[in-house]
Amino acid sequence: MLMKILMAGGLVVVTVAIHAVGFSALLRAMMRAHALTTSGSRPFTPLLIGLTCWLILIHLVEISVWGLFYLWQGCLPDTESAIYFSGATYATVGYGELVLPKPWRMFAPLEALTGILLCGLSAGLFFAVVSGGSATGCKGEPR
């Protein structure tokens, strides 16, 4: 039991680390491109498209880590099932047609909690970019 708790904690740490690295790379790229100081003359749609694609990629990597872990541990029969289960769990959809074996079932709510927290962090970035891009400068001064 202790080993499974440590493995679950390790998955959470790896997931948050992936998100932090991806988030940091995204913010650095946006600062280099001066995307956080968009003015009315700069196109905003490409910024949102790029932001969306990058964040989805980060989340897909995180989902894949959990899914491949489930596959490695023999919790699910194949890669497609493992990634599908992981995606549905991470996004808190939880259809329920696939479930983890009893000894591993504590991983699903932990993945869901991790996923919803990291999706919330991504939503916070969206809010900051949209509100900062339309009403304030980079440091928050009104335009």
Side-chain angles (χ1 to χ4, degrees):
M1 178 65 163
L2 178 61
M3 185 55 81
K4 285 192 173 88
I5 291 170
L6 292 174
M7 285 190 277
L11 278 170
V12 170
V13 168
V14 167
T15 306
V16 173
I18 290 167
H19 207 81
V21 168
F23 213 86
S24 178
L26 175 61
L27 288 174
R28 279 194 311 274
M30 290 175 69
M31 286 189 287
R32 269 194 311 271
H34 302 288
L36 298 176
T37 58
T38 58
S39 67
S41 63
R42 272 184 81 103
F44 198 61
T45 303
L47 170 65
L48 288 182
I49 291 169
L51 179 64
T52 301
C53 290
W54 186 254
L55 289 173
I56 287 174
L57 179 64
I58 293 169
H59 289 289
L60 288 175
V61 169
E62 295 162 1
I63 287 165
S64 297
V65 166
W66 285 82
L68 292 173
F69 175 82
Y70 297 141
L71 183 65
W72 175 53
Q73 291 299 316
C75 298
L76 292 162
D78 54 53
T79 305
E80 189 267 338
S81 296
I83 300 295
Y84 172 78
F85 172 82
S86 180
T89 302
Y90 183 95
T92 69
V93 175
Y95 290 119
E97 73 273 20
L98 290 172
V99 294
L100 295 176
K102 189 174 180 177
W104 296 95
R105 67 181 173 185
M106 68 177 229
F107 280 68
L110 188 59
E111 181 183 4
L113 179 59
T114 304
I116 200 66
L117 288 171
L118 295 179
C119 286
L121 184 60
S122 295
L125 177 62
F126 260 104
F127 178 78
V129 168
V130 170
S131 65
S134 61
T136 64
C138 190
K139 294 182 182 175
E141 304 96 357
R143 292 189 178 190

